[in-house]
Amino acid sequence: MRLQKPLHEIEKELNRFPSFKLKEGKQTEIHQILMEEATKWEMKNKKGRWLRRLAVGFSSVAVVVLALFLGFSYFFDSNEGTRPAETPEVQPNPQEPTNPIEFIIDADFHKLVARTDQVTGDETVYTSKDSDIIHKFEKTIAAMPYEKTEETSSVFNTNFQLYDTSKKLIAEIIFTGENIVSINGERYKTDEAKLNEFKEIFFTEDNKADPEINNPESSVQELAREIIQALAKKDTAILAQHVHPEKGLLFSPYVYIQDDALVFEEEEVANLLGNSDTYLWGTFDGSGEPMEMTAEQYYSRFVYDQDYLNAHEMNIDSIQHRGNSINNIKEKLPDSTVVEFHIKGTEQYGGMDWRSLNLVFERDASGGLKLVAIVHDEWTI
């Protein structure tokens, strides 16, 4: 193969050529022409070499791709006979028995309520917080078979309700006869005969209760709203009618009730705002200064200090630990029902200007709900 010399070597050789006594300008012109032609030839030669290399590269890639294609084809063809057959997806049997009460067994229940004969209108209510009875009920329904159904029945109506410690309804199980049961709205076929033994244990005079006493939420809510309306109007005469006859009405500026908290009798409450006497209601949070105020002053600062009639939240027996103070209402009044009217804080103060007013109820000797405490709550240091 003929090799092309580098340009610098060609230029050296041209410089050694005889001048033949040519003029200097002519020599330069000839020299320039020869160098341009040599440069063009070298560029053409380089371009050819790159094209040849590119062609070889493409050929090599094509060979590799073809080899891979043939190899994979051979592999899959040779293994086609030994490839395991795909297992079809097993569709669940819609009639297969289910267990809809697993979540009930795992939950922590505080109270069981049963209402019977709701269809006829002669309702009888039974209730119990006995852990043994609740456990027996859970064990009884766990032993029953369950198969989903679209059938309905209205022979009778026995409604079992399970509540947690915050009195939240967790499960509702309704037996309607003809072995049909509804669990949280879903109907199942079952065996009601297994329930009879439990009914004999639970449906007794000891567990029978007045519906209002058994489910105080509706009655206490209505009563609490009536008292809030009286507080908004500063109607202490109405307020006094709801004071517990034996225990009186306790006032606490914070949710931690002190042992020396002030208590007023029914007659005193009726004329409370007309009394100009100064009382020691406790000590101010943070400063520890004595809280010496008239009833009117205390009322404006620690009773109806916000628009509780239009509170953002109304919570029944759901203790909310909102601030730094320890809430000992249930410790001081363990048999009470607490209704909280809560006002949320504003963005301006980062939510720290929230307020709550707790109305605390207990039953008197006749079983009626009576007001035993008004407990204020706010952010404390």
Side-chain angles (χ1 to χ4, degrees):
M1 179 183 297
R2 186 178 177 181
L3 299 176
Q4 173 66 30
K5 291 183 178 181
L7 290 178
H8 68 277
E9 292 185 9
I10 294 175
E11 188 172 9
K12 286 180 181 180
E13 290 183 5
L14 287 174
N15 291 330
R16 288 197 296 267
F17 281 179
S19 63
F20 296 106
K21 298 182 180 180
L22 294 175
K23 294 182 179 181
E24 184 176 353
K26 195 64 176 178
Q27 292 181 23
T28 303
E29 181 181 354
I30 294 172
H31 182 273
Q32 185 176 353
I33 292 172
L34 290 174
M35 288 301 300
E36 286 177 357
E37 291 298 320
T39 302
K40 290 180 182 178
W41 191 93
E42 182 176 7
M43 293 298 295
K44 181 178 180 181
N45 191 38
K46 286 184 178 180
K47 184 177 180 181
R49 286 200 303 271
W50 277 107
L51 288 174
R52 286 194 298 273
R53 289 176 183 176
L54 187 62
V56 171
F58 276 118
S59 301
S60 301
V61 171
V63 171
V64 172
V65 171
L66 181 61
L68 289 173
F69 176 78
L70 293 175
F72 277 115
S73 299
Y74 174 79
F75 175 80
F76 283 112
D77 290 340
S78 62
N79 287 278
E80 187 174 2
T82 59
R83 189 184 303 166
E86 293 184 1
T87 304
E89 184 179 353
V90 178
Q91 298 295 330
N93 183 357
Q95 300 301 321
E96 186 178 353
T98 57
N99 187 1
I101 51 84
E102 287 184 351
F103 78 98
I104 297 176
I105 297 173
D106 295 336
D108 183 17
F109 294 107
H110 177 67
K111 183 174 67 174
L112 173 64
V113 177
R115 293 177 173 84
T116 64
D117 296 329
Q118 290 178 316
V119 175
T120 63
D122 300 326
E123 181 182 89
T124 304
V125 178
Y126 300 89
T127 181
S128 178
K129 295 181 181 180
D130 190 318
S131 58
D132 289 337
I133 289 179
I134 294 174
H135 178 69
K136 286 178 182 177
F137 177 72
E138 292 174 343
K139 188 176 180 181
T140 298
I141 61 173
M144 292 182 176
Y146 298 96
E147 183 178 337
K148 265 202 166 184
T149 183
E150 297 298 326
E151 297 181 36
T152 60
S153 174
S154 58
V155 177
F156 61 83
N157 196 327
T158 303
N159 184 340
F160 291 91
Q161 296 175 322
L162 287 161
Y163 295 85
D164 63 11
T165 53
S166 65
K167 295 190 177 182
K168 179 181 178 182
L169 178 63
I170 300 299
E172 186 172 42
I173 305 171
I174 306 172
F175 293 89
T176 57
E178 298 179 339
N179 291 318
I180 303 295
V181 61
S182 171
I183 301 178
N184 287 348
E186 297 286 342
R187 289 193 298 274
Y188 301 87
K189 288 283 287 186
T190 187
D191 181 7
E192 292 173 351
K194 296 181 179 295
L195 188 66
N196 293 333
E197 183 179 348
F198 176 76
K199 286 182 178 180
E200 294 178 1
I201 298 172
F202 186 48
F203 292 178
T204 64
E205 289 297 322
D206 291 339
N207 293 323
K208 189 180 292 187
D210 180 0
E212 181 181 332
I213 296 176
N214 178 55
N215 287 290
E217 287 84 355
S218 59
S219 58
V220 76
Q221 181 176 356
E222 182 180 347
L223 183 58
R225 289 194 180 279
E226 182 180 342
I227 292 174
I228 282 292
Q229 288 177 356
L231 292 175
K233 297 176 181 178
K234 293 187 176 182
D235 192 338
T236 54
I238 295 295
L239 179 64
Q241 294 176 11
H242 297 287
V243 173
H244 198 288
E246 290 85 27
K247 296 190 174 183
L249 181 59
L250 178 147
F251 288 89
S252 177
Y254 307 113
V255 288
Y256 186 83
I257 302 175
Q258 301 289 345
D259 293 335
D260 56 353
L262 291 180
V263 178
F264 295 87
E265 301 297 330
E266 179 180 346
E267 295 80 9
E268 294 175 309
V269 171
N271 302 307
L272 191 61
L273 297 182
N275 188 344
S276 60
D277 293 342
T278 298
Y279 297 92
L280 179 60
W281 303 86
T283 56
F284 283 100
D285 173 68
S287 68
E289 294 293 324
M291 194 180 291
E292 296 178 341
M293 299 179 177
T294 64
E296 176 73 33
Q297 291 171 331
Y298 179 87
Y299 192 98
S300 299
R301 175 62 180 85
F302 291 105
V303 177
Y304 206 81
D305 59 325
Q306 295 288 329
D307 184 14
Y308 295 113
L309 194 59
N310 297 298
H312 298 120
E313 295 178 19
M314 181 181 183
N315 302 304
I316 301 176
D317 260 353
S318 179
I319 302 300
Q320 305 293 324
H321 298 282
R322 303 184 185 278
N324 296 330
S325 295
I326 298 173
N327 189 326
N328 69 341
I329 296 176
K330 285 292 186 178
E331 180 182 337
K332 291 289 186 180
L333 302 162
D335 298 323
S336 64
T337 299
V338 182
V339 181
E340 179 198 36
F341 291 85
H342 178 66
I343 302 292
K344 296 179 181 179
T346 62
E347 293 184 5
Q348 181 181 358
Y349 296 100
M352 297 177 67
D353 55 335
W354 59 268
R355 296 286 190 276
S356 284
L357 192 67
N358 296 276
L359 303 183
V360 187
F361 299 90
E362 282 190 4
R363 295 194 177 275
D364 59 13
S366 63
L369 284 169
K370 293 295 182 179
L371 188 65
V372 293
I374 297 178
V375 181
H376 184 265
D377 192 12
E378 63 182 46
W379 179 262
T380 53
I381 299 174

